[in-house]
Amino acid sequence: MSCLIVLFASFLTVGSAAGFGDTTTVAGNGNDGPLEASGTAVSLAVAQPFGLTIGPDGALYVCEVGQHVIRRIDLESGESRVVAGSGHKGWSGDGGAALAASLNEPYEVRFDSRGNMIFVEMQNHLVRRVDVKTGLISTIAGTGRPGFSGDGGPAIKALLKQPHSIALDKQDRLYICDIGNHRVRIVNPSTGMIDTFAGTGQKAATPDGASLRGTPLNGPRALDFDGENSLFLALREGNALYRIDLEEQTLHHLAGNGRSGYRGDGGPAVQAELSGPKGVAVSREGDVYFADTESHTIRVWRKSSGTIETVIGDGQRGDGPDGSPGRCRMDRPHGVFISRDGRLFVGDSNNHRVRMLNTSR
């Protein structure tokens, strides 16, 4: 199907996806079950895909929240298999094989520099790791109970509350969006100790240029690392996107005026309305893609201009069709990931599909 791109010139409405390829479905048949452990990805039920990433082996890894598993998709063959989780909701299995463990809503998955798979389970209030050599699973942060405690001590004894997103920097330091506590926590990989990295626990506005220390975060929901010296942070309740300068330890406002809505494409991103931003992914060029979940779109902050655009969707809930990204509707997307070659992957959560868009121009 050829790509028909529709331009929306208005500053207040939908932006342009000009220059992009077509959207395609790479996993999910639109159903939320039953769990299918292996098979061709597009023919399988992939229930509530959220966070996703490409692993060291070049495969796509997807958090399947509805079935409490992590799924691997071979992007060349299209074949898929479960790599963590038994499909039974719960918390068990530490010290054993990852496939035999019970998980509870894995939300986001990453890989450290050694190739270990790390993922966060929101409803278990913890972060777990699958060893690349042994395939054994262990908990590395959280006790399984909700709350806030443990700063300055071992991460496995600390309390988290509904952690949603994780990121790793060049030193494999683990950053956790501890959303129920309105904080970003940090775990030192050498010591296993946890601390608060950003946020005060208050649900309040985040000033531009403020120091990390003593500054509130209103709903820190999603993180990504640019590979250099910056983290990018979406504030769900704050309806905003920020850059965290890791050297200067400061917060910089990129997008969102704090009001919930879907307006501002084509203009300054800081004046735009966002609608519950969640997943975040920074491209090689420094552009920041994010799931604007409640507007059912994927939008992008352009580094070169400071403007905002919509790249998939038109602001209305729907299920595709694949093809023109401006016409491909989604239903509450959560996860986004962009590869080094410009392929944008999206967890189209309520449609139970993983979609892909080639953003290379």
Side-chain angles (χ1 to χ4, degrees), residues 16-325:
S16 167
F20 295 160
D22 287 353
T23 57
T24 58
T25 295
V26 296
N29 60 17
N31 298 317
D32 62 356
L35 175 64
E36 298 174 279
S38 63
T40 304
V42 292
S43 67
L44 298 176
V46 178
Q48 290 280 324
F50 272 47
L52 27 65
T53 191
I54 289 182
D57 58 355
L60 183 69
Y61 290 78
V62 180
C63 291
E64 192 176 331
V65 169
Q67 295 292 351
H68 312 287
V69 297
I70 308 292
R71 182 176 292 279
R72 178 188 185 273
I73 300 166
D74 188 311
L75 294 172
E76 293 187 2
S77 68
E79 292 300 301
S80 175
R81 59 183 173 87
V82 171
V83 294
S86 64
H88 298 291
K89 179 180 177 179
W91 180 36
S92 69
D94 277 2
L99 282 169
S102 295
L103 317 181
N104 194 348
E105 296 195 6
Y107 264 44
E108 192 158 68
V109 58
R110 306 286 189 183
F111 287 84
D112 67 16
S113 62
R114 297 182 179 180
N116 299 307
M117 185 170 70
I118 298 174
F119 58 91
V120 59
E121 297 178 50
M122 191 189 80
Q123 296 298 348
N124 274 338
H125 314 286
L126 48 77
V127 181
R128 300 172 92 176
R129 176 175 59 205
V130 178
D131 188 276
V132 65
K133 295 180 179 178
T134 65
L136 301 181
I137 193 170
S138 60
T139 297
I140 59 173
T143 67
R145 294 184 293 114
F148 174 69
S149 71
D151 277 0
I156 57 173
K157 294 184 178 181
L159 296 183
L160 311 175
K161 189 175 181 181
Q162 297 180 327
H164 188 282
S165 177
I166 54 176
L168 295 153
D169 66 15
K170 290 186 290 187
Q171 286 75 42
D172 278 341
R173 288 174 293 208
L174 173 67
Y175 301 85
I176 306 168
C177 278
D178 193 4
I179 64 174
N181 290 314
H182 297 283
R183 288 174 164 90
V184 176
R185 313 282 287 275
I186 184 170
V187 179
N188 185 312
S190 300
T191 65
M193 307 291 272
I194 194 169
D195 212 332
T196 291
F197 172 73
T200 63
Q202 294 177 300
K203 187 178 178 180
T206 305
D208 185 26
S211 170
L212 284 177
R213 187 174 297 277
T215 300
L217 299 175
N218 190 358
R221 188 59 63 101
L223 280 167
D224 196 25
F225 176 57
D226 71 349
E228 296 297 331
N229 298 303
S230 295
L231 283 170
F232 292 87
L233 173 68
L235 301 181
R236 165 65 178 86
E237 286 78 9
N239 289 298
L241 182 69
Y242 281 78
R243 181 179 70 87
I244 299 175
D245 188 312
L246 295 176
E247 290 187 343
E248 300 296 327
Q249 298 283 287
T250 49
L251 289 147
H252 302 274
H253 184 203
L254 302 182
N257 61 16
R259 294 191 297 271
S260 178
Y262 177 50
R263 297 168 69 85
D265 277 3
V270 293
Q271 297 177 18
E273 293 179 0
L274 312 185
S275 191
K278 294 194 175 69
V280 174
V282 57
S283 74
R284 184 171 56 181
E285 295 77 23
D287 296 334
V288 182
Y289 294 80
F290 61 95
D292 203 36
T293 301
E294 308 306 327
S295 73
H296 315 288
T297 62
I298 306 301
R299 302 171 83 178
V300 61
W301 170 81
R302 294 292 184 196
K303 180 180 180 181
S304 61
S305 61
T307 58
I308 193 169
E309 302 171 24
T310 295
V311 295
I312 307 178
D314 63 0
Q316 300 297 314
R317 175 182 281 139
D319 184 5
D322 283 347
S324 168

Side-chain angles (χ1 to χ4, degrees), residues 330-344:
M330 293 174 294
D331 191 346
R332 302 194 78 245
H334 280 75
V336 293
F337 176 81
I338 188 161
S339 65
R340 298 291 292 173
D341 61 1
R343 291 174 295 169
L344 178 68

